[in-house]
Amino acid sequence: MNKTIKAIYKKLEESIQFISNSSHLFVKNPTQDFSRTRKLSLSEVLRFILTIGANSLNFELLKYFNDVPYVTSSALIQQRDKIKIEAFKSIFERLKFKNLYKNTFKEFHLLAGDGSAVNIARDPTDLETYHTQKGYKKGYNQFHLNALYDLNNLIYTHFMIDTHHHLNERQALISFLDSETFASNTIIILDRGYESYEVMRKIANKGCYYLIRVKSPESKSGILYGQPLRTHCEDEQEISLILTRRQTKVTKNPSSHYKILPQKTRLEELPPQSKAELPMDYRVIAIEYELGRFEYLATNLPSNVFTLDDFKELYFKRWAIETSFRDLKHAIGLSCLHSKKRNLVEQEIYAKMIMYNFCSLVTQQIEVDSSNRKLDYKANFKMAIEICKKGLRGKIPIKKVAESIRHYQSPVRKKRRFQRLTKPSFFKGFNYRVA
């Protein structure tokens, strides 16, 4: 176990050192930037950004360097501004330990796709991120984070930063699918925001499986509207359609299997004005999650692979990406950024994603003994994050990281259900941080 944790730390250190040794590839002015020997070297700046907390910038610098007089916030910002975002992209890719992603669900790899808003400092002049909303006197600025999350191994595999006015979660997912080859035993689990024939066809054409929560058959904007489905009972039903753009007597016949797509509906295989026909086969699974309340899932999984209970568990597993966003914002610190400049904000977003994967990989190596206990226990992820950061900063020996994390445990409470209360949250101002 300690050997694996050491290997994870070593990989991150090697990634930082690679950036430092190849600085000409990752700085804006290769002939001048980081050419002199300074306290804030390129590797030191990268390590600081990766491990920065949620306090004020001056306080974080004092904690990191642990001496007075310490490095000023102005000096740090000037050094940060020299680094290209490609440096952090490189670390994120190099930190992928595919040999550690061994956990599966009945021999299937599970990926969840979703997005989350990231509040940034208010700047009405930045029109791409500025957003106004009825009922609020002042507008606010946001980035949108699109991600694919490995539900078995609890790490982000892909992510993309969008601005508010270029927000398109479906197209972000399609770009992830186009970026590489996925294993044929991969199931991509998605919520209702991804409901579309385009997404279903794209995943199927990649040789993967999808499981998408779709709107009820009563919803006119859903893909199930008008389909002869048995409702208000748990069931599995096959759907066979022919997608087309043509509007003829045959395609308009309600008893036919044709589905006419509006011209504005995106589908690469059926461009607008196309006269082609495209067969579409999938299954609909209706599951009762509360008495008399049903959810509908669309999938291309074969009928003999999973039972109804398996599908319930599969979709319940998707919730892990929601809790990962919570940890990313409130445990890792994505909700408390330290800059107004867009490129520096993007640096911190990438740094938080890197540290989430890093800390999650380390924490999963920690074995917790739950014998003779009423509940199962696991390592406390929030405390594990702080310990992992201290290890990266050299405050704790790497060999003691596992022992330190194991000291903090929290119970695993399965199948808990609470009403989801949502309220708007805004950027926490620089002047209102602790210290």
Side-chain angles (χ1 to χ4, degrees):
M1 179 175 61
N2 276 326
K3 288 183 179 179
T4 306
I5 291 175
K6 287 180 181 178
I8 296 170
Y9 269 93
K10 183 180 179 182
K11 186 68 172 179
L12 181 54
E13 288 288 356
E14 287 176 349
S15 300
I16 294 173
Q17 199 58 46
F18 170 78
I19 303 298
S20 182
N21 294 340
S22 309
S23 60
H24 62 284
L25 300 174
F26 302 104
V27 296
K28 296 177 180 177
N29 191 339
T31 60
Q32 294 182 6
D33 295 343
F34 295 99
S35 58
R36 295 167 57 188
T37 302
R38 295 191 177 195
K39 192 168 187 177
L40 280 175
S41 63
L42 178 54
S43 60
E44 205 67 47
V45 173
L46 291 172
R47 196 174 288 105
F48 175 80
I49 297 171
L50 289 172
T51 59
I52 194 172
N55 299 111
S56 67
L57 190 55
N58 280 328
F59 189 77
E60 291 294 336
L61 284 165
L62 180 60
K63 281 199 305 181
Y64 185 87
F65 290 101
N66 202 29
D67 61 357
V68 180
Y70 55 93
V71 174
T72 65
S73 57
S74 176
L76 174 73
I77 292 170
Q78 290 179 57
Q79 293 294 82
R80 282 184 61 185
D81 205 22
K82 299 173 182 177
I83 305 173
K84 293 180 180 178
I85 193 62
E86 282 72 20
F88 295 89
K89 291 180 179 180
S90 175
I91 295 175
F92 181 82
E93 292 298 325
R94 291 171 65 86
L95 198 61
K96 289 183 178 180
F97 281 82
K98 293 192 176 180
N99 60 314
L100 294 182
Y101 308 162
K102 297 178 180 179
N103 298 328
T104 59
F105 178 81
K106 297 190 175 182
E107 299 185 355
F108 282 89
H109 299 287
L110 305 183
L111 295 178
D114 207 348
S116 183
V118 178
N119 294 311
I120 61 177
R122 184 175 178 273
D123 180 8
T125 64
D126 186 354
L127 300 180
E128 286 193 330
T129 63
Y130 187 68
H131 179 57
T132 56
Q133 187 171 333
K134 187 177 180 180
Y136 297 96
K137 293 182 180 180
K138 293 184 177 181
Y140 52 89
N141 293 69
Q142 280 185 343
F143 278 125
H144 192 84
L145 197 64
N146 301 296
L148 274 181
Y149 186 75
D150 189 325
L151 299 173
N152 295 315
N153 300 285
L154 307 181
I155 57 102
Y156 290 98
T157 60
H158 304 74
F159 80 97
M160 175 190 297
I161 303 170
D162 273 340
T163 61
H164 170 76
H165 294 288
H166 293 94
L167 169 61
N168 194 322
E169 291 185 340
R170 295 179 190 174
Q171 291 308 307
L173 174 66
I174 288 171
S175 70
F176 296 149
L177 294 170
D178 289 336
S179 65
E180 64 177 86
T181 302
F182 291 79
S184 59
N185 60 336
T186 299
I187 303 175
I188 300 177
I189 306 175
L190 304 166
D191 208 359
R192 283 183 298 196
Y194 295 87
E195 177 184 351
S196 72
Y197 292 118
E198 182 184 26
V199 169
M200 295 161 71
R201 293 286 303 182
K202 192 69 176 183
I203 295 174
N205 291 340
K206 290 291 290 186
C208 302
Y209 299 103
Y210 56 80
L211 183 69
I212 306 175
R213 180 188 176 196
V214 295
K215 297 172 185 175
S216 69
E218 291 82 16
S219 175
K220 292 183 179 181
S221 60
I223 64 173
L224 300 185
Y225 183 72
Q227 300 300 321
L229 297 174
R230 297 181 293 274
T231 58
H232 306 297
C233 64
E234 290 195 335
D235 200 2
E236 298 183 28
Q237 300 174 65
E238 301 283 344
I239 301 290
S240 292
L241 298 172
I242 300 174
L243 304 180
T244 184
R245 304 279 189 182
R246 298 169 60 233
Q247 299 200 33
T248 65
K249 289 183 179 180
V250 174
T251 60
K252 289 181 179 180
N253 188 339
S255 62
S256 71
H257 292 286
Y258 283 93
K259 177 75 173 182
I260 301 174
L261 297 184
Q263 298 298 329
K264 65 180 181 179
T265 300
R266 290 176 59 102
L267 188 56
E268 186 177 316
E269 296 164 284
L270 278 182
Q273 311 303 328
S274 172
K275 296 183 179 180
E277 297 179 350
L278 190 66
M280 183 78 191
D281 299 311
Y282 61 96
R283 294 168 58 225
V284 177
I285 293 91
I287 57 176
E288 188 175 21
Y289 66 97
E290 286 181 0
L291 185 62
R293 302 183 69 179
F294 293 84
E295 293 289 2
Y296 297 88
L297 306 174
T299 185
N300 61 338
L301 282 160
S303 58
N304 59 348
V305 175
F306 294 123
T307 64
L308 277 174
D309 287 337
D310 291 332
F311 281 112
K312 290 179 182 179
E313 185 176 356
L314 268 175
Y315 188 73
F316 180 79
K317 282 180 174 292
R318 195 205 68 86
W319 190 250
I321 191 173
E322 303 284 359
T323 58
S324 76
F325 286 138
R326 178 200 63 194
D327 290 334
L328 190 64
K329 292 180 180 181
H330 304 294
I332 296 287
L334 186 57
S335 61
C336 294
L337 302 172
H338 296 82
S339 181
K340 293 183 178 180
K341 298 181 70 173
R342 179 179 291 193
N343 65 316
L344 302 190
V345 170
E346 290 183 357
Q347 282 182 9
E348 285 197 56
I349 294 175
Y350 267 90
K352 302 305 182 188
M353 299 295 285
I354 292 166
M355 286 307 295
Y356 180 94
N357 282 0
F358 174 75
C359 295
S360 183
L361 286 171
V362 170
T363 306
Q364 288 177 69
Q365 311 309 313
I366 309 301
E367 297 176 359
V368 176
D369 184 10
S370 297
S371 59
N372 301 321
R373 286 177 159 185
K374 185 178 179 179
L375 298 173
D376 291 334
Y377 278 75
K378 64 178 181 179
N380 185 299
F381 187 53
K382 190 170 184 178
M383 295 304 299
I385 291 167
E386 293 304 313
I387 294 166
C388 289
K389 286 181 179 179
K390 286 182 179 291
L392 189 58
R393 289 180 171 186
K395 308 294 184 183
I396 296 178
I398 305 303
K399 61 182 180 181
K400 291 189 177 181
V401 166
E403 179 186 345
S404 301
I405 293 175
R406 197 180 295 108
H407 182 71
Y408 299 96
Q409 302 176 14
S410 55
V412 179
R413 296 184 173 92
K414 299 179 180 179
K415 298 184 179 179
R416 304 177 80 194
R417 185 184 295 274
F418 300 96
Q419 183 181 359
R420 188 178 184 185
L421 302 175
T422 58
K423 60 180 181 180
S425 59
F426 299 97
F427 182 77
K428 191 171 183 179
F430 302 117
N431 294 332
Y432 297 93
R433 309 285 175 88
V434 176

